[in-house]
Amino acid sequence: MCPACCRKLQSSLVLKIHKPMRHILGILIGMSSCAKADNVQTPWGLSVDAGVIYRQDKMTWRIGNAPTTTLSELEYKINAIQPKLAMSVTAPYHMALQIYYADGDIKAGDAYDSDYDESLASLYSLSKSDLIGSVSDWGLMFSKGYSLKKVSATIDMGWSRHKQNLNMIDGFQLVLGGQPYYGSIGGLNNSYATQWQGFFWGAGLSIASDIHWQFNANIKQHFFSYNAKANWNLRKEFSHPLSFEHQINANAYEGSLTAIYHINNKCSLKSFITVLAAEGKNGIDTTYFNNSNAQVYFLNHMSWFSSQYGIVLDYKY
């Protein structure tokens, strides 16, 4: 597909995502007019969550001499397990403040490093390596809620930071010089440390089916500032320990579904699935060489897709 067609398709997808968010927020704001009397009655409260998350990530970046060319492409796939802690403070008028932190190790992962002669069709080098490292997430969110019998809704805003510390080891060359070539890459220990951070806004909907079961749905839009620092340890022409760095702005959309079983008035068990998709364009790659020179390339694509599955025990004080 030509670049112009790709841009049109991506623009249409963004518009399709924006419209449902506007519709959801319109419904929630409309619900608020039906809940003013109930708002005053909500008490102060404190709850603590503790649980574990299984997470799968896929991240891709491309650099080139121009926005429409590709010299190098990296793709990372990881599986990780993260313990998670969260604390929520609720206040009158259906207001709440939540802070959370999750940190864990990568249990399995692969990295694919592809090099091209200006075009994605002219691959001349492809290598695969194992990934080790860690991932962490933390953030805070303020919510204003509205209640209508067994249905409640929130308008949310907050800030989050997400890090991936990736190390590529045990490399294996698959293609070299345009021909299949199979051989190990001795001494490979590349590192790529990422950080996604920024503000978000969104909305949530909660339905209580009976005294025990409750179901939540949430959607968020993130405005990320992305930066990463890399050390390509076998590239003698690069500077070390900082070989290159990346900066780009990215939009992301996150959706989650949660099923809650209220064991009693103090304890609840939650299971959830969360999906996040981020994409950025027209960023900057700054590569540093061992002769103290630096060169700037186009970071013309950056994407991150993450799916998380978790179970959490919640206790209210």
Side-chain angles (χ1 to χ4, degrees):
M1 185 180 292
C2 67
C5 296
C6 290
R7 286 193 293 269
K8 290 180 180 178
L9 177 60
Q10 289 159 354
S11 298
S12 66
L13 289 174
V14 170
L15 288 174
K16 288 179 181 178
I17 294 173
H18 273 294
K19 288 180 179 178
M21 288 196 71
R22 289 199 298 266
H23 294 160
I24 291 170
L25 287 176
I27 293 170
L28 300 184
I29 292 170
M31 287 179 62
S32 67
S33 62
C34 304
K36 291 181 180 178
D38 183 53
N39 282 344
V40 182
Q41 301 172 13
T42 56
W44 287 90
L46 173 67
S47 64
V48 176
D49 289 359
V52 64
I53 298 169
Y54 174 71
R55 167 173 166 177
Q56 295 177 309
D57 283 15
K58 179 182 177 181
M59 188 166 60
T60 305
W61 56 261
R62 301 190 194 112
I63 64 168
N65 285 325
T68 57
T69 64
T70 298
L71 295 175
S72 184
E73 178 183 58
L74 267 290
E75 180 180 276
Y76 307 97
K77 296 179 180 180
I78 64 172
N79 298 330
I81 295 178
Q82 293 178 280
K84 179 181 180 180
L85 289 173
M87 182 178 69
S88 298
V89 178
T90 56
Y93 301 99
H94 287 284
M95 292 188 293
L97 180 66
Q98 181 190 69
I99 185 169
Y100 73 90
Y101 178 74
D103 192 1
D105 294 328
I106 295 172
K107 299 303 180 182
D110 298 310
Y112 294 87
D113 186 347
S114 307
D115 294 313
Y116 301 88
D117 184 13
E118 295 291 340
S119 169
L120 285 173
S122 56
L123 175 72
Y124 71 84
S125 176
L126 171 63
S127 62
K128 177 185 177 182
S129 57
D130 294 334
L131 273 180
I132 59 174
S134 62
V135 290
S136 64
D137 309 271
W138 81 272
L140 54 89
M141 181 174 71
F142 171 78
S143 300
K144 177 67 174 75
Y146 305 94
S147 179
L148 183 62
K149 295 184 180 180
K150 291 186 177 182
V151 178
S152 60
T154 61
I155 297 175
D156 311 313
M157 62 177 59
W159 183 91
S160 65
R161 175 183 289 172
H162 313 268
K163 291 185 176 183
Q164 299 120 338
N165 294 311
L166 309 176
N167 284 88
M168 287 141 272
I169 60 172
D170 299 330
F172 200 83
Q173 191 77 40
L174 301 175
V175 174
L176 184 64
Q179 300 295 325
Y181 173 84
Y182 303 102
S184 62
I185 305 173
L188 180 68
N189 189 23
N190 288 347
S191 66
Y192 190 71
T194 78
Q195 179 173 279
W196 307 76
Q197 66 178 12
F199 291 95
F200 66 83
W201 71 289
L205 186 67
S206 178
I207 300 174
S209 63
D210 55 35
I211 61 172
H212 289 294
W213 284 102
Q214 178 182 337
F215 301 94
N216 296 349
N218 295 83
I219 186 170
K220 299 174 185 173
Q221 182 182 14
H222 294 263
F223 304 93
F224 283 131
S225 173
Y226 173 85
N227 65 79
K229 294 184 178 182
N231 182 17
W232 257 219
N233 74 304
L234 295 182
R235 295 288 295 270
K236 295 181 179 179
E237 74 273 25
F238 287 170
S239 174
H240 304 288
L242 180 60
S243 300
F244 59 89
E245 56 185 339
H246 290 160
Q247 293 93 28
I248 201 168
N249 293 323
N251 283 336
Y253 298 93
E254 177 183 351
S256 65
L257 295 173
T258 305
I260 304 173
Y261 181 77
H262 298 285
I263 301 170
N264 52 45
N265 61 352
K266 290 286 188 180
C267 293
S268 300
L269 190 63
K270 303 177 181 180
S271 61
F272 64 87
I273 177 172
T274 300
V275 175
L276 183 147
E279 184 179 37
K281 294 181 180 181
N282 300 322
I284 297 173
D285 170 291
T286 306
T287 300
Y288 303 97
F289 296 94
N290 60 11
N291 59 3
S292 299
N293 290 334
Q295 185 168 347
V296 175
Y297 297 94
F298 289 90
L299 179 60
N300 49 36
H301 175 83
M302 183 76 222
S303 64
W304 172 35
F305 182 85
S306 179
S307 57
Q308 301 181 10
Y309 313 88
I311 186 166
V312 169
L313 182 65
D314 176 88
Y315 184 81
K316 291 182 173 62
Y317 289 90

